[in-house]
Amino acid sequence: MPVAFVNEVVSDADIDAYGLPFEKGKGHWWTRDKERDLYLWGGRGGNPLWDQEIQGRFHLFISGSSLRLAISLGRWSQNWHVKPYHIVWDQLLWIDPPDMGGLERKHVISVLKEALLAYGRDGWENINTPDRVVTFGF
């Protein structure tokens, strides 16, 4: 089954339509399933040289609701040339709002995982790791 999510530059029209906090024309990226009107944007925070835990902080738009969430990034391949490149999204740390806007948790997690499969480790940087394996600890 092909992944419906793709990494792409957010259009100025989408910035307006969704009220995104991006400056127009600056080339911000998101992971989007246009057909189902779903998107994920955000990214990793922290530096593995001195931070204990690297986290992904994201916004997931699903079923008309915008959820904020944090996920710990587990291990990943250290060399861009490794084939396949491995990424582990380890633990879902929190979702806001906690009631997920009334959405079923199982559905939210399923869509989140589908989006992260396309997002990989860095969204747009996946041009360096087209052959990748994304796994989850949650």
Side-chain angles (χ1 to χ4, degrees):
M1 177 174 113
V3 175
F5 279 96
V6 296
N7 298 311
E8 64 183 20
V9 173
V10 180
S11 72
D12 290 348
D14 285 328
I15 290 171
D16 288 339
Y18 292 101
L20 298 171
F22 303 142
E23 188 175 339
K24 292 180 182 176
K26 293 294 181 178
H28 293 281
W29 285 75
W30 65 354
T31 303
R32 183 176 190 198
D33 181 333
K34 189 173 185 173
E35 186 175 310
R36 295 186 295 167
D37 194 25
L38 305 167
Y39 68 75
L40 177 80
W41 67 268
R44 293 178 300 118
N47 185 319
L49 295 177
W50 57 77
D51 290 327
Q52 291 290 331
E53 182 175 56
I54 306 302
Q55 291 183 2
R57 299 277 176 120
F58 295 100
H59 293 260
L60 177 66
F61 182 80
I62 176 174
S63 300
S65 294
S66 183
L67 308 175
R68 293 179 330 121
L69 50 104
I71 309 166
S72 62
L73 181 60
R75 305 199 70 132
W76 64 87
S77 299
Q78 298 299 309
N79 181 335
W80 291 109
H81 303 290
V82 171
K83 292 190 188 312
Y85 186 88
H86 288 271
I87 304 117
V88 178
W89 287 101
D90 194 33
Q91 182 181 9
L92 181 58
L93 302 171
W94 53 262
I95 297 178
D96 188 44
D99 72 352
M100 293 175 273
L103 299 170
E104 190 177 310
R105 182 176 179 83
K106 185 176 180 179
H107 176 63
V108 170
I109 300 301
S110 175
V111 169
L112 174 61
K113 287 180 177 181
E114 187 180 341
L116 288 170
L117 286 171
Y119 179 85
R121 180 175 170 251
D122 292 316
W124 66 274
E125 287 186 16
N126 286 323
I127 59 171
N128 296 319
T129 57
D131 183 15
R132 64 185 176 278
V133 174
V134 179
T135 55
F136 304 95
F138 61 94

